[in-house]
Each structure stands twice: as C-alpha cells, then as structure tokens.
Amino acid sequence: MGLLVGRGSQREVGLLGLERGMMHMIIHGDRSRWLHGSNGACIRTDPYPARALRLVLLGAPGAGKGTQAALIAERYGTCPLSTGDVFREAKRGPVATLDGAMKQAVELMAQGRLVPDETVVDLVRERGHCLLCNYGFILDGFPRTAWQAEALEDLLLERGRRLDAVLNYTLPRDIVIRRLSGRRTCADCKATYHLEDKPPAAPGKCDRCGGSLFQRSDDHPDAIAVRLQAYEESTAPLIAYYEDRQMLHNISADGAPSDVFARSRALLDSLADFAFA
Ligand code: AMP
C-alpha cells in the first residue's frame, strides 16, 4: 500500500482528514526495510517526491515528534524512521530471529541495560539503504547523542548525502509532564488518548477497537522525571552540535498537532530550493 500522496488540494484534504488510524497506516505500512533490516522489502509504490527531504526531529518525550513525523511524511512523501519503533518491533518477535546489531541491542535491553551508541549506529548502518532512499527520510529518536550525530554525518557523507534540516520541537517542562502523565494507550491497536485533552468516550475503553486503555510504565511520574533528565543531558550537546552547523530550527510544540504542523510546514516550505507546487 502506498502513502497518500496527492498534490495541492488533494494533499490538503488528506491532511485535514488525517485520523489516528491513517497515521498508523502511514507510519507502519511501508518501512519494512527500516524495521527488519536488509531482509525487509519495501512495498511503497507511490511516485517519488519531487525533492527528497532528509530531516532529523528532536524534542523531549511527549513533544509530539511521532505525530509531526506522520504529518510531514503525508505532505512531503518522506519516510518516517524511528529507532524506538525498530526496538519495539524487534522485542515483539523471538530473539532467535534477530541478527547483527539488533540482536545485540535486544539482549542488552533484556538485561535492563542501555543500548550503547556504537550498537545503535551499527543498527542504522545495517539499514543504510534507507538513508539513500529517494523518498527521503525523517529520523526520529536517532541521533540521540552528539556521538551518534557525528556517526550519522559520516554515514551520510559515505553515501553522498546530507541533512536538509534538524527540527527541534520545544515544549516547557510542565506541559511535557502534563501531556505524558495524562496519556493512555490502547493495549490492542496502540491508539493514544489523553485523560483531559482527548478522553475516550467510555472510560478505560478504546473508541476505535474497544481495547483496554493502559498507562505506559514510562509515563508514570517517576519514570517521566528520569526520562526528561536523560533527554536533557544527552541532547543538550546534540542541540549545540546542530546549532554550530546552522542546521537547527526550533519549533514550538505547544498547541494542537495541526498548529504545530503549520509551523513545521512554514519552515519546510521555506527551505532553500524546495519548490512545492
Ligand atoms: P523512543 O520511542 O524514541 O522513546 O525509544 C524507545 C527506547 O528505545 C528508548 O528509551 C531507548 O531505550 C531506545 N532507543 C531508541 N533510539 C535510541 C538511540 N538512538 N540510542 C539509544 N537508545 C535508543
């Protein structure tokens, strides 16, 4: 199944009609090579975009990077690639089916250890063809440290590519905590809700599939504080790294996803030589 890629007003209709189910399809329908490594086969059939955008998204947990990645992908025909999704996908299957850096990463995570930079970079290198893809890419969750950013620059240089921009979604800490602590996720279809901003019609039940809603363990207040601290410590040098290279664009992540996307779009449409008719 291809992405929804229309031009002009068709794209507008697609965007305005974008519902969570559709986002799910966009994110999960076409990234087999990214999720499964070189053994996966991409099934995208839609035409390549006129200009392949190559982006990195930064932002604290809860800033809405995944949602923005899906919206950017839908409008610009680009492919959203999240390392977190690769890890979640790998954890779903038996370790025996994994190999290379992915196997090493899953074994480390099973021991409760962090995945080291070298392993994450090897994992991306094993999926290096996704960096060459004519649909372009939106990296979400990688790079996470300045060391990973340097390695990404090398991986791209080796392939004659460079990033177009790094979008840093900023959100005050108290809003991040409010967003994450109110988040509830469907155990079956993974749709997300918010207790105050987007409550389900029936408490504890998913509107889409009737599944039970739960609070992710990493969305509990103690875990949120740890995640935010880790994010701030590891990404401060990363932000400086891209600032030095004049690639960093700060975008306020406050407000509804469509408002944040309007800001993202204003920036992307203004990128030099990006002619979007
Ligand atoms: P995320 O969905 O981006 O929050 O990622 C989920 C988890 O996967 C993280 O908490 C990390 O354990 C791991 N992970 C994802 N991306 C990276 C990365 N670039 N470097 C190290 N660990 C990562």
Side-chain angles (χ1 to χ4, degrees):
M1 190 185 307
L3 281 181
L4 295 171
V5 283
R7 292 217 163 257
S9 59
Q10 248 180 297
R11 281 184 190 252
E12 297 292 339
V13 170
L15 177 63
L16 292 172
L18 192 72
E19 290 175 359
R20 295 212 80 86
M22 249 185 242
M23 262 192 226
H24 188 78
M25 178 191 85
I26 288 169
I27 293 176
H28 297 288
D30 60 340
R31 300 168 308 142
S32 330
R33 297 198 100 187
W34 178 250
L35 293 176
H36 303 292
S38 42
N39 296 332
C42 268
I43 53 169
R44 280 186 75 161
T45 53
D46 49 307
Y48 292 130
R51 158 102 148 68
L53 272 178
R54 300 186 181 92
L55 306 173
V56 163
L57 305 191
L58 302 179
K65 293 191 300 297
T67 302
Q68 292 304 309
L71 292 168
I72 295 170
E74 202 248 352
R75 181 166 176 92
Y76 298 95
T78 303
C79 217
L81 305 177
S82 141
T83 38
D85 283 349
V86 173
F87 288 135
R88 278 183 284 277
E89 182 76 13
K91 281 195 229 167
R92 283 173 12 162
V95 180
T97 61
L98 304 172
D99 58 11
M102 191 69 255
K103 182 160 189 262
Q104 209 182 330
V106 169
E107 284 169 354
L108 286 169
M109 286 188 285
Q111 295 162 18
R113 292 167 61 190
L114 287 178
V115 183
D117 283 343
E118 289 84 349
T119 310
V120 180
V121 169
D122 284 347
L123 185 126
V124 174
R125 187 178 289 111
E126 287 167 8
R127 290 157 176 76
H129 37 258
C130 290
L131 302 178
L132 280 172
C133 179
N134 287 330
Y135 291 111
F137 55 78
I138 309 168
L139 287 170
D140 166 7
F142 177 86
R144 238 181 174 81
T145 62
W147 196 93
Q148 292 183 13
E150 276 181 48
L152 172 64
E153 197 169 317
D154 290 345
L155 285 176
L156 289 171
L157 273 177
E158 283 161 20
R159 291 165 176 76
R161 298 283 194 270
R162 64 185 301 277
L163 290 176
D164 291 301
V166 176
L167 277 51
N168 181 31
Y169 289 98
T170 61
L171 198 60
R173 206 183 157 90
D174 55 325
I175 303 182
V176 170
I177 292 171
R178 184 182 166 280
R179 272 195 195 173
L180 292 178
S181 54
R183 182 162 70 178
R184 296 294 181 271
T185 306
C186 173
D188 295 333
C189 74
K190 311 292 178 240
T192 53
Y193 297 84
H194 190 277
L195 290 182
E196 290 161 32
D197 300 342
K198 192 185 170 224
K205 285 242 171 295
C206 177
D207 294 351
R208 269 173 59 198
C209 72
S212 303
L213 303 186
F214 71 102
Q215 184 174 30
R216 282 170 39 170
S217 57
D218 56 355
D219 284 346
H220 287 280
D222 292 353
I224 293 173
V226 172
R227 283 165 78 195
L228 283 182
Q229 194 179 343
Y231 176 77
E232 281 155 15
E233 281 169 10
S234 63
T235 50
L238 185 57
I239 287 170
Y241 178 92
Y242 284 124
E243 249 169 2
D244 284 352
R245 283 159 181 73
Q246 297 178 336
M247 286 181 149
L248 193 83
H249 301 269
N250 291 313
I251 296 179
S252 164
D254 201 2
S258 55
D259 296 334
V260 181
F261 182 58
R263 290 173 210 137
S264 311
R265 219 174 101 176
L267 168 78
L268 294 175
D269 284 349
S270 75
L271 282 183
D273 82 335
F274 186 75
F276 183 66

